[in-house]
Amino acid sequence: MTKIVVVTSGKGGVGKTTTSAALATGLAQRGHKTTVIDFDVGLRNLDLIMGCERRVVYDLVNVINGDANLKQGLIKDKRVEDLFILPASQTRDKDALTLEGVEKVLEGLKEMGMEYIICDSPAGIEKGALTAAYFADEAVVVTNPEVSSVRDSDRILGILSSKTRKAERGEGDIPASLLLTRYSPERVERGEMLSVEDVKDILAIDLLGVIPESQAVLNASNSGAPVILDSESDAGKAYEDAVARFLGEQRPHRFLTANKKGLFGRLFGAQ
Amino acid sequence: MTVAFEEKAVLEFKGRMLMMTVLLLKDLDPNTLHRQVSQRLDEAAQWLRDAPVVVDLADPGSADQVGLMAAVDTLRGLGVNLVALARNEHLDSDTAAMLGLGSISLAGGRDVPRSAEPAPAEQPAEPGHTLVIDQPVRSGQQIYSRGDLIVLAPVSTGAELLAEGHIHVYNTLRGRALAGVRGDQSARIFCQKLDAELVSIAGIYRVAEDLPEQHRKQAVHITLDGDAMRFADLK
């Protein structure tokens, strides 16, 4: 049984691609055969974050158009077994994505025995984002703790409840969970950021995880290794927790309080 | 020599139940009729203006043919889509044919009330019915109830609630709530936590900035008193 997961947000720059890469890598690390697809046609980034940009031959649009078959389009990750990447096209625009074409690709991946397909959605609420979400069984909504990001996530949640295939077939809303990224407990304490509770209260969905603002994320992007592979970093640990929760494990949320107590903070941070 | 071939059937008779709008005329005076019908059509929704109409007479015995013709002309002149005349002992199919109408027996039909209110497709509730929403109302979503509206989940900033009757929000109201949208000044808004962008009753409104401070983020009950909005604690 394949599960299709859309990673979406409405707003740009909140960490969708970082999250898609981390989630896909984390699932594959746990032995689940996973493909992560970059739906941001025209602005491809996922291959950079995944560190496979120098191995891209074909892309999603090539596969949809039949220029290449699925096996040729998929890039196998060198670090993690069972992890595949389907990059976006840099030269085409979003009109190249058709629902029929995307469905064909997803069916092909199912036949290959993928357990999870992670769809990295482009920002916005236009065709690209709708196409990425249409076939999803589940959504991960990435939000930063600030009002405009939260409002855009709210808008996306509304769209998900009516514009997915499941919703159109009357099978109800797809489950959606919240991943709060770039969280800075210090700034929350100073009142410069919304708290986890504020965001949960506004969006009224389950919390999958809180990823702290971290230099490790930038380092990971620059080095082309998903941050979850940096298992010593706070962000890496937080993503690891989120993956565990995604698979049904119960784990307490970490990195929610300012780390100023020295020893205590370290003890809790390292638990 | 004859060539026998089977001709493809180009028609098929089907039985189908149809809803018809019946226009019951109590008087045939063309002037009164013209005034009242045009007034009703102005208020009516598009579907009512385009709907096929059967003319029925309250007192068929008293109707003369000239008066009937004048009435039918008046209605047609106003764009009413007349299709038939209700048949009875005084008005047979010949009379209907003379008027260029079909003849229909209304015996056995069932009355369904028809109001002249507009009924856009996105209105799920029937008039007077209460619509209950138990999912969050998200930014960009709009809910319309032709009666009361009850929401059991948060209403986000950028969401809009519209009701012809009262609005109840048993959670936080951050979006807009417009009660009595068809002018019912007795409509009220109840909400557990007021953090709205705008509240309105029968067209009288207050934006977030003008909400009374002491009621912000509190449980409130909003009513209309003339042109003034009254806020009260909901305790």
Side-chain angles (χ1 to χ4, degrees):
Chain A
M1 185 64 195
T2 312
K3 195 176 235 181
I4 302 172
V5 184
V6 62
V7 177
T8 186
S9 71
K11 197 172 170 64
V14 295
K16 282 183 298 296
T17 301
T18 297
T19 298
S20 299
L23 185 58
T25 306
L27 290 167
Q29 274 180 324
R30 288 163 169 262
H32 300 288
K33 199 171 175 185
T34 303
T35 294
V36 54
I37 307 178
D38 190 350
F39 273 86
D40 205 348
V41 175
L43 288 169
R44 63 173 233 232
N45 283 149
L46 181 70
D47 49 325
L48 283 172
I49 306 287
M50 295 296 296
C52 65
E53 77 278 10
R54 284 156 47 158
R55 291 194 287 141
V56 175
V57 183
Y58 297 109
D59 57 49
L60 177 61
V61 173
N62 291 139
V63 176
I64 285 175
N65 290 347
D67 309 331
N69 65 36
L70 193 51
K71 288 216 168 63
Q72 289 173 305
L74 281 183
I75 301 172
K76 193 173 178 326
D77 191 80
K78 282 185 172 171
R79 296 159 298 222
V80 183
E81 195 69 7
D82 295 324
L83 180 58
F84 302 85
I85 301 116
L86 188 52
S89 171
Q90 184 72 306
T91 51
R92 311 295 281 271
D93 63 32
K94 289 185 172 69
D95 292 333
L97 285 184
T98 60
L99 282 181
E100 298 74 33
V102 170
E103 186 176 20
K104 210 175 66 189
V105 170
L106 294 173
E107 287 304 321
L109 290 169
K110 283 184 185 178
E111 279 167 27
M112 288 173 69
M114 293 297 161
E115 286 175 71
Y116 291 96
I117 301 171
I118 310 296
C119 303
D120 180 18
S121 170
I125 53 172
E126 278 84 39
K127 196 183 164 201
L130 298 181
T131 309
Y134 188 72
F135 297 101
D137 301 307
E138 194 168 336
V140 172
V141 177
V142 183
T143 306
N144 288 168
E146 46 101 13
V147 281
S148 64
S149 175
V150 173
R151 188 180 293 185
D152 289 0
S153 294
D154 188 58
R155 183 90 171 88
I156 272 287
L157 282 164
I159 288 168
L160 286 175
S161 69
S162 62
K163 294 278 170 71
T164 64
R165 183 163 66 172
K166 290 212 158 152
E168 283 182 4
R169 285 177 174 174
E171 293 168 19
D173 292 7
I174 61 169
S177 54
L178 170 67
L179 194 77
L180 201 55
T181 56
R182 311 197 66 171
Y183 195 73
S184 164
E186 292 81 10
R187 296 190 59 194
V188 172
E189 277 184 11
R190 289 202 297 270
E192 296 167 3
M193 253 186 193
L194 295 173
S195 70
V196 182
E197 291 311 315
D198 291 339
V199 180
K200 272 173 71 181
D201 189 40
I202 295 171
L203 293 180
I205 54 172
D206 292 337
L207 183 65
L208 180 64
V210 178
I211 312 299
E213 172 84 77
S214 170
Q215 182 62 35
V217 173
L218 196 60
N219 296 346
S221 302
N222 289 336
S223 65
V227 69
I228 198 168
L229 293 173
D230 184 358
S231 54
E232 292 305 306
S233 68
D234 47 359
K237 286 173 188 162
Y239 270 118
E240 156 67 22
D241 283 354
V243 170
R245 285 188 208 105
F246 184 80
L247 292 169
E249 261 179 59
Q250 297 285 334
R251 286 200 185 182
H253 290 280
R254 298 194 263 177
F255 317 110
L256 299 185
T257 47
N259 198 359
K260 62 187 174 192
K261 296 181 193 96
L263 183 64
F264 265 113
R266 256 189 253 161
L267 278 174
F268 284 118
Q271 50 180 265
Chain B
M1 196 179 98
T2 54
V3 182
F5 64 92
E6 205 167 338
E7 194 180 53
K8 201 168 135 222
V10 294
L11 53 86
E12 192 180 347
F13 281 105
K14 284 188 167 179
R16 177 173 276 196
M17 302 284 287
L18 290 174
M19 288 270 281
M20 294 290 254
T21 302
V22 177
L23 181 60
L24 180 66
L25 299 180
K26 296 171 181 167
D27 192 279
L28 293 181
D29 174 54
N31 291 327
T32 320
L33 200 58
H34 186 278
R35 190 170 61 248
Q36 294 194 4
V37 170
S38 58
Q39 185 193 343
R40 292 291 281 273
L41 285 177
D42 281 346
E43 297 164 1
Q46 192 60 43
W47 68 261
L48 191 57
R49 274 177 254 155
D50 299 337
V53 169
V54 177
V55 177
D56 193 9
L57 300 185
D59 184 10
S62 69
D64 62 65
Q65 292 208 345
V66 178
L68 202 51
M69 278 172 82
V72 165
D73 279 346
T74 304
L75 292 173
R76 284 200 172 122
L78 288 166
V80 178
N81 181 15
L82 296 183
V83 293
L85 188 65
R87 180 166 57 224
N88 57 46
E89 49 186 317
H90 300 283
L91 299 169
D92 54 22
S93 54
D94 289 342
T95 315
M98 181 203 72
L99 296 165
L101 292 171
S103 182
I104 284 183
S105 167
L106 294 180
R110 193 165 52 88
D111 279 355
V112 179
R114 282 262 158 119
S115 67
E117 276 91 347
E122 67 272 17
Q123 298 181 9
E126 291 295 309
H129 270 69
T130 300
L131 181 62
V132 180
I133 304 288
D134 48 16
Q135 293 293 311
V137 186
R138 306 282 182 191
S139 181
Q141 291 181 329
Q142 194 182 52
I143 310 277
Y144 190 105
S145 170
R146 300 193 64 188
D148 294 350
L149 175 58
I150 299 179
V151 183
L152 296 157
V155 179
S156 297
T157 313
E160 199 165 61
L161 304 178
L162 300 127
E164 292 178 16
H166 310 303
I167 293 178
H168 307 247
V169 179
Y170 298 108
N171 209 308
T172 308
L173 169 63
R174 297 190 181 88
R176 297 162 165 243
L178 296 91
V181 289
R182 292 193 58 82
D184 181 359
Q185 302 198 343
S186 68
R188 298 176 177 206
I189 298 172
F190 307 85
C191 98
Q192 208 161 61
K193 193 173 168 191
L194 178 72
D195 197 10
E197 290 179 286
L198 178 143
V199 287
S200 159
I201 297 172
I204 307 292
Y205 67 91
R206 290 255 193 124
V207 292
E209 230 175 55
D210 305 330
L211 293 178
E213 268 321 308
Q214 73 270 26
H215 293 294
R216 214 178 278 272
K217 303 201 173 171
Q218 304 298 317
V220 292
H221 166 200
I222 309 170
T223 52
L224 201 59
D225 177 9
D227 275 353
M229 265 187 161
R230 301 272 180 241
F231 292 73
D233 285 343
L234 192 62
K235 286 277 159 64

